[in-house]
Amino acid sequence: MSATVRPAPSPADSGAAPVTTAATAPLAPSPLTPRQKWLALGVIASGMLMIILDGSIVTVAMPVIQRDLGFTPVGLSWVVNAYLIAFGSLLLLAGRLGDLIGRKRMFVTGTAVFTVASLLAGVATSPGVLIAARALQGVGSAAASAVGLGILVTLFTEPRERARAIGVFSFTSAVGASLGQVLGGVLTDALDWHWIFFINLPIGAAALFLAVRALPGDRGPGLGSGADVTGALLVTAALVVGIYSVVRAERYGWLSGHTLGLGALALALLAAFVVRQATSRTPLIPPRLLRSRTTVGGNLIQMLIMAAMFTFQILVALYLQKVLGYEALGTGLALLPAAVVIGGVSLLVSARLNARFGERAVLLAGIALMATQMALLGRLPDHADYATDLLPSMLLTAGFGLALPALTTLGMSGAADEDAGLASGLFNTTQQVGMALGVAVLSTLAAGRTGGLLAAGDGSAHALTEGYRLAFTVGAGLLVTAFAATLFLLPGRSSAPVTEAASAG
């Protein structure tokens, strides 16, 4: 007999996850002491900090990169798109591979690839080399981040301990996203844009050194136990085509033949993947995972929240620069209160509130605060005063600090131990898809509104502000939808993990 720890399915889930057997389960790591567990969490958080930091630090330096390397305006967008497409499309596959060959091995490999790619990006002297390096960064990011949550939930099985760990993980995400914009301005102004990539090297080296020693060793059942190559190719191709069509929709138009044709191809590939999963003996996504209402609902709600909140970060930065005239560093500092509030709430408050009131109640409170924030931004004046018009909205981002840890716990609670890597990859995939869709759709709405007003003779500041206000109002609507979905799809409280004995034969 061997014991396997896994989260229990919630009462709202239809169908219990099957018991893990020795023939199919990954080899369980040796028990760790509390100190070893928190050291392992530190390694995961450091790796995620590097990845998330890189995602936001690049945006501030884009004009300098364009001027230095001679990018065309269209070519410059691929500094972001190459990373986004590789990252978003490979998360699901990387999560399942982590379950099969070992999550530690996948995390270490991904961190190493990302670190080497950062060096290549830092020494790039041509657009082609930088774009290739950014794509390679996306591959490494997908491999490392896809299994990070999977390692975390298998290490921290006691509810209060897991809540604290997820709070630390969420804190890292919040700090990395906002700190990147500040660091991007500082490094670009004080040194040059190459250092926005070189800063990853010491972080990556330290994460690799500690990961080899601190992360628990695990060995999956091997590729032969569940490597659905055809399914993996289908879903990866569907995500590549789908994300590409979204990030290019702003250039070609949402109703253009280019966008609609690629969208139809992505849906066809996705349909073929669904058919494959229903007929394969070793599906990439086991049906038991999708039978969990908590897992499906948590991922859907995350897409809505990320679509609104990532767009908030992008459009507020544009408003500060294009309407209020802030420089890059000033923009980063203006967004800093949001990072501090999100990080403080997720690290210091969320775990206690989740334990006392349940994740669903905390998630609802967080979404309500974020919806209020977006509604306030929907009333921005043409020339806002930061202290009275913007700072209250920055402080209301505390809702994100409440929502993210609660949502992460709920989104992972429906996954059995042997599916933790896949559930982590799925959760990260829906996050990236939500961010890409949100920015593409809401930015297009804002640009359309602004263009119409400019054509009618309105001033630039007023036209831009009206466009941003429309996007923020639609974002508030997305958050109201997320609130309703939480009420109807998620259980009142998440289930505590339980220990099951798995028969060896």
Side-chain angles (χ1 to χ4, degrees):
M1 303 287 286
S2 62
T4 301
V5 180
R6 67 170 180 85
S10 75
D13 295 341
S14 59
V19 175
T20 303
T21 65
T24 60
L27 184 65
S30 303
L32 300 182
T33 65
R35 181 178 178 277
Q36 290 173 318
K37 287 183 180 181
W38 289 101
L39 180 59
L41 174 62
V43 172
I44 297 170
S46 297
M48 291 306 300
L49 175 64
M50 177 178 64
I51 290 168
I52 295 169
L53 187 70
D54 185 81
S56 59
I57 201 172
V58 174
T59 58
V60 178
M62 294 280 276
V64 180
I65 293 174
Q66 180 179 15
R67 185 171 62 249
D68 192 19
L69 295 186
F71 271 100
T72 65
V74 173
L76 184 65
S77 67
W78 282 99
V79 176
V80 174
N81 293 344
Y83 177 85
L84 179 64
I85 292 171
F87 184 27
S89 61
L90 293 174
L91 281 164
L92 197 59
L93 175 60
R96 176 44 90 197
L97 288 176
D99 289 334
L100 296 175
I101 67 173
R103 297 175 198 127
K104 176 179 179 179
R105 181 183 300 176
M106 184 62 68
F107 182 87
V108 170
T109 300
T111 303
V113 169
F114 182 88
T115 305
V116 171
S118 296
L119 175 61
L120 293 177
V123 300
T125 56
S126 68
V129 172
L130 181 58
I131 290 172
R134 290 287 288 162
L136 189 60
Q137 279 188 311
V139 174
S141 296
S145 61
V147 296
L149 273 175
I151 297 173
L152 187 152
V153 298
T154 53
L155 278 178
F156 297 91
T157 56
E158 193 275 322
R160 288 181 182 272
E161 184 183 55
R162 178 180 289 182
R164 290 194 297 271
I166 288 177
V168 172
F169 187 87
S170 302
F171 167 79
T172 303
S173 300
V175 169
S178 297
L179 186 61
Q181 293 184 316
V182 179
L183 276 178
V186 172
L187 292 173
T188 303
D189 290 344
L191 299 171
D192 59 53
W193 65 265
H194 299 276
W195 285 91
I196 68 174
F197 299 112
F198 289 150
I199 194 174
N200 294 328
L201 302 184
I203 302 175
L208 281 171
F209 177 80
L210 292 174
V212 172
R213 291 157 177 78
L215 293 185
D218 63 333
R219 187 180 63 211
L223 294 177
S225 300
D228 179 13
V229 177
T230 301
L233 292 175
L234 286 171
V235 73
T236 301
L239 288 169
V240 167
V241 173
I243 293 173
Y244 175 79
S245 66
V246 167
V247 300
R248 302 300 287 166
E250 187 174 355
R251 171 175 170 80
Y252 291 98
W254 285 96
L255 298 180
S256 68
H258 181 276
T259 301
L260 293 178
L262 288 177
L265 176 59
L267 289 175
L269 289 168
L270 190 60
F273 170 72
V274 171
V275 172
R276 172 68 184 180
Q277 298 311 285
T279 57
S280 175
R281 294 181 60 186
T282 57
L284 182 66
I285 302 182
R288 61 181 176 269
L289 187 63
L290 298 181
R291 283 197 294 265
S292 167
R293 198 173 79 184
T294 302
T295 298
V296 174
N299 279 277
L300 173 62
I301 292 160
Q302 178 181 225
M303 285 184 66
L304 294 168
I305 292 175
M306 288 299 176
M309 295 305 292
F310 188 67
T311 303
F312 149 75
Q313 184 178 4
I314 298 296
L315 295 188
V316 164
L318 290 174
Y319 173 80
L320 289 168
Q321 292 181 351
K322 292 188 174 184
V323 177
L324 300 187
Y326 281 43
E327 297 294 334
L329 180 56
T331 299
L333 293 175
L335 293 170
L336 192 58
V340 172
V341 169
I342 294 172
V345 170
S346 62
L347 182 64
L348 303 174
V349 178
S350 63
R352 280 180 257 179
L353 292 180
N354 286 335
R356 181 169 182 180
F357 300 106
E359 285 83 5
R360 179 174 176 267
V362 175
L363 176 58
L364 287 169
I367 295 174
L369 288 175
M370 289 185 286
T372 303
Q373 169 203 7
M374 296 294 276
L376 287 177
L377 290 171
R379 303 178 62 185
L380 274 177
D382 294 354
H383 297 287
D385 176 74
Y386 180 81
T388 58
D389 296 315
L390 284 166
L391 184 58
S393 295
M394 298 293 173
L395 299 179
L396 283 172
T397 55
F400 192 66
L402 291 176
L404 187 57
L407 186 60
T408 302
T409 300
L410 289 165
M412 294 294 293
S413 65
D417 181 67
E418 68 269 24
D419 297 326
L422 175 61
S424 174
L426 178 62
F427 196 76
N428 281 285
T429 299
T430 56
Q431 183 180 91
Q432 293 299 312
V433 171
M435 290 162 59
L437 282 172
V439 171
V441 174
L442 298 188
S443 295
T444 300
L445 289 175
R449 175 67 170 161
T450 297
L453 291 174
L454 288 173
D458 285 33
S460 175
H462 177 69
L464 285 167
T465 302
E466 285 295 317
Y468 298 143
R469 287 175 60 177
L470 174 61
F472 292 137
T473 301
V474 175
L478 293 176
L479 290 166
V480 170
T481 304
F483 189 94
T486 303
L487 283 175
F488 290 106
L489 294 178
L490 298 184
R493 298 186 69 93
S494 65
S495 300
V498 295
T499 302
E500 285 187 2
S503 173

